[in-house]
Amino acid sequence: MSYRVEFFNQKVMAEVLGWPAGIAASFAVVALRMVEHGPNLGLPHTRAMGDGLFEVRARGAEGIGRAFFCTLVGQRIVVLHGFVKKTQATPAAELKTARKRLKEVQGG
């Protein structure tokens, strides 16, 4: 049974698909694997962030990208937020944005 990858909105889609070529290609490979095999790919591709939030861990020659996503009924994977990492740790503001959008799509 295949999944469907969607974006929270057009802005999120433009942000993630506008990443540098190597990082965007890495995201695309992981997204295709999620469509075929489901969202629980495990490290190094995906990681659970708690409370129904997960991250795609994209890596290219240009750096590292993170795309936060959740799963919804009907085999839907919704990409909530994405950014290119500039530091080792995930910035709190980026995680806060993803968690806020998670609540929105879950109806909360």
Side-chain angles (χ1 to χ4, degrees), residues 63-85:
I64 298 170
R66 293 291 186 257
F68 295 109
F69 70 92
C70 66
T71 58
L72 298 176
V73 173
Q75 307 292 83
R76 294 170 52 207
I77 298 167
V78 181
V79 179
L80 302 166
H81 181 59
F83 67 101
V84 174
K85 287 184 77 169

Side-chain angles (χ1 to χ4, degrees), residues 7-20 24 82:
F7 290 89
F8 179 75
N9 59 27
Q10 291 293 320
K11 182 179 175 187
V12 173
M13 183 169 75
E15 173 68 32
V16 172
L17 298 181
W19 286 347

Side-chain angles (χ1 to χ4, degrees), residues 6 54-55 57 62:
E6 306 171 1
F54 302 86
E55 70 175 357
R57 301 164 59 85
E62 308 90 345

